Amino acid sequence: MENEMPREKGIDHSISFLQEGYEFIVNRQRQLRSNVFETRILGKKAICMIGEEAARLFYDTDKFQRSGAAPNRIVQTLFGENSVQTLDGEAHRHRKEMLMSVMTKEEVARIVDMTKLQWEQSIDQWSQKDSIVFYDEMKELLCKVAFQWIGYPLHEQDTKRLTKELAAMFETPAVFGVTHWIGRSYRNQVEKNMQQLIRDTRDEKIKFPKNSVLHQFAFYKDVDGYVLDEETAAVEIINLLRPIVAIAIYANFTLLALHEFPKEKEKLQNYPDYPRMFVQEVRRFYPFFPFIVATVKEDFTWNNHEFKAGTMTLLDLYGTNNDPALWENPGSFYPERFASWQGSPFSFIPQGGGDYILGHRCAGEQMTIEIMKVSLDYLVNKIQYDIPEQDLSFDLNDIPSIPKSKIILENVRRVQENIQ
């Protein structure tokens, strides 16, 4: 057929999918010269798409659904059973409203203050050490922030364990073998503990303030007017905690950008709006989440391409954020591109696209940006450090991708300590 959807040759491309990671879709887009193509992954036919027009289509809830779309290994590590990411229609809208209800300006301001406090405490600890591994330290810092924010401040002895368990949820979905199964077991353990916490809250064995996130979620009612079952309530609380810890990935790339583009520091110190632009460019330029998945609801035709009901469909987030059709010189780190950026919610999609309530765009995106801005301020204006020789490269076939050394810092100290 003249307008037949381009297809990748071969029986199955699961191995290439794992080997190429973030670049799997982009590589085939270039080879097939098409923003939409067909392949086979994990023994199933899959449609892959990239670009703004594709994103706009992907978020059309009349054409795509999330229920049953995500591979089981993603559900069992990253999302959790019956999470908001796996819902459609009224159930999704109602659950998303629950998440957005705690993403108010006041709550964002509160978590910003908590992040600053944890940075202050962490600097005191880091300054007593010869060196730190920044990625690991940021995961712990943000884990403390996350639990304090929901209303359950951590004891110091629990921090490392919970950091490891939450981080495994986003570090192991794309890994095969023992590491992946360890990630699943960690998630099961966190869910079990969170379910007990919810039971204790409902039974008034533990009393949290009624305005706390934990209390609100423990007693939140579903679309039919019933409180969520313990399992689902636990999953959604974890869906608040896990993404906050995952901001450590962005924090690492923020530090890497400062190191790789040292001339940016002067701009950050002299132009009030530049931190916002810098953070947005970090989110566009560096890899975070590679793609998202849905299934075709009913047969339809788009741009003369046939989409069959039940077909798994992947939208390339990283590729869209680096699409030369949307971004001038996408391979250049250029924060100024966001000075007067007027793009759509389908062209810049590091944490999903579309509308927050009606679509599947990440509820915590603004919170992510503000936490990144706090971390950037500390890295630029409030601490000094040395970066010894190390392997700062990162591979796009690793999901998630982070610098190989996780960025080792030496001689971390406060700026004012060096003022005479």
Side-chain angles (χ1 to χ4, degrees), residues 286-302:
Y286 292 102
F288 188 60
F289 204 69
F291 34 73
I292 46 178
V293 62
T295 55
V296 180
K297 264 178 122 172
E298 298 178 355
D299 293 0
F300 71 91
T301 301
W302 176 75

Side-chain angles (χ1 to χ4, degrees), residues 299-316:
D299 293 0
F300 71 91
T301 301
W302 176 75
N303 285 359
N304 297 316
H305 300 313
E306 292 185 1
F307 289 71
K308 295 293 185 181
T311 305
M312 179 171 66
T313 305
L314 282 71
L315 174 67
D316 189 337

Side-chain angles (χ1 to χ4, degrees), residues 201-204 214-221 227-228:
T201 302
R202 291 174 176 175
D203 294 340
E204 297 189 346
L214 240 174
H215 187 277
Q216 291 180 60
F217 274 38
F219 292 97
Y220 197 90
K221 295 180 180 179
V227 292
L228 296 175

Side-chain angles (χ1 to χ4, degrees), residues 68-348:
N72 190 53
R73 62 174 28 246
I74 302 294
V75 173
Q76 296 299 329
T77 51
L78 190 66
F79 295 154
E81 296 280 356
N82 196 33
S83 67
V84 67
Q85 294 94 338
T86 66
L87 300 179
D88 298 293
E90 183 66 14
H92 170 262
R93 186 193 64 78
H94 196 267
R95 188 78 62 79
K96 196 66 175 288
E97 285 181 350
M98 170 177 132
L99 293 170
M100 293 302 297
S101 71
V102 296
M103 297 296 172
T104 62
K105 290 183 179 179
E106 292 76 17
E107 286 299 314
V108 171
R110 196 164 69 88
I111 203 168
V112 162
D113 289 340
M114 293 175 182
T115 304
K116 291 177 180 178
L117 177 62
Q118 289 301 330
W119 260 97
E120 291 293 328
Q121 294 176 352
S122 295
I123 294 170
D124 290 337
Q125 297 170 5
W126 298 346
S127 63
Q128 302 301 314
K129 302 176 181 178
D130 293 333
S131 65
I132 64 166
V133 178
F134 186 67
Y135 176 61
D136 294 339
E137 295 291 340
M138 283 304 301
K139 285 191 292 184
E140 289 192 18
L141 184 158
L142 291 167
C143 186
K144 293 176 184 177
V145 170
F147 275 93
Q148 183 182 0
W149 176 59
I150 68 168
Y152 190 66
L154 291 178
H155 295 293
E156 194 64 34
Q157 64 266 25
D158 296 327
T159 300
K160 287 189 181 298
R161 173 180 59 82
L162 284 165
T163 299
K164 181 185 293 186
E165 292 171 346
L166 288 169
M169 296 178 194
F170 58 82
E171 290 176 341
T172 66
V175 179
F176 280 80
V178 175
T179 303
H180 173 74
W181 288 100
I182 290 174
R184 285 195 181 198
S185 67
Y186 281 156
R187 178 170 194 108
N188 291 337
Q189 186 59 46
V190 177
E191 286 188 2
K192 180 180 178 181
N193 292 340
M194 193 59 65
Q195 289 166 23
Q196 184 62 54
L197 192 61
I198 291 166
R199 279 194 294 273
D200 290 344
T201 302
R202 291 174 176 175
D203 294 340
E204 297 189 346
K205 293 180 180 178
I206 301 178
K207 292 188 177 182
F208 294 98
K210 289 187 177 180
N211 63 346
S212 69
V213 175
L214 240 174
H215 187 277
Q216 291 180 60
F217 274 38
F219 292 97
Y220 197 90
K221 295 180 180 179
D222 64 19
V223 69
D224 296 317
Y226 299 101
V227 292
L228 296 175
D229 59 83
E230 293 167 1
E231 292 80 8
T232 301
V235 162
E236 296 301 10
I237 291 173
I238 293 168
N239 275 332
L240 295 176
L241 299 170
R242 167 187 50 77
I244 294 173
V245 177
I247 299 172
I249 297 173
Y250 274 146
N252 240 40
F253 281 125
T254 299
L255 176 56
L256 183 63
L258 290 171
H259 179 69
E260 292 186 327
F261 310 104
K263 293 182 180 180
E264 296 293 318
K265 185 174 182 180
E266 184 178 350
K267 299 175 188 176
L268 287 163
Q269 292 174 323
N270 290 292
Y271 299 100
D273 194 41
Y274 205 77
R276 176 192 64 82
M277 293 184 275
F278 188 93
V279 161
Q280 293 291 59
E281 183 67 346
V282 168
R283 296 173 70 231
R284 185 203 68 81
F285 185 79
Y286 292 102
F288 188 60
F289 204 69
F291 34 73
I292 46 178
V293 62
T295 55
V296 180
K297 264 178 122 172
E298 298 178 355
D299 293 0
F300 71 91
T301 301
W302 176 75
N303 285 359
N304 297 316
H305 300 313
E306 292 185 1
F307 289 71
K308 295 293 185 181
T311 305
M312 179 171 66
T313 305
L314 282 71
L315 174 67
D316 189 337
L317 303 181
Y318 177 70
T320 299
N321 292 332
N322 287 271
D323 186 355
L326 300 174
W327 307 95
E328 184 177 355
N329 299 320
S332 298
F333 187 84
Y334 183 64
E336 286 91 336
R337 72 175 78 244
F338 285 99
S340 57
W341 181 74
Q342 297 294 326
S344 79
F346 301 101
S347 60
F348 182 45

Side-chain angles (χ1 to χ4, degrees), residues 19-23 253 287 318 391-404:
Q19 290 176 338
E20 297 174 44
Y22 292 86
E23 295 186 301
F253 281 125
Y318 177 70
D391 188 353
L392 293 172
S393 66
F394 57 93
D395 289 333
L396 291 176
N397 60 342
D398 291 333
I399 301 176
S401 179
I402 58 172
K404 291 181 180 177

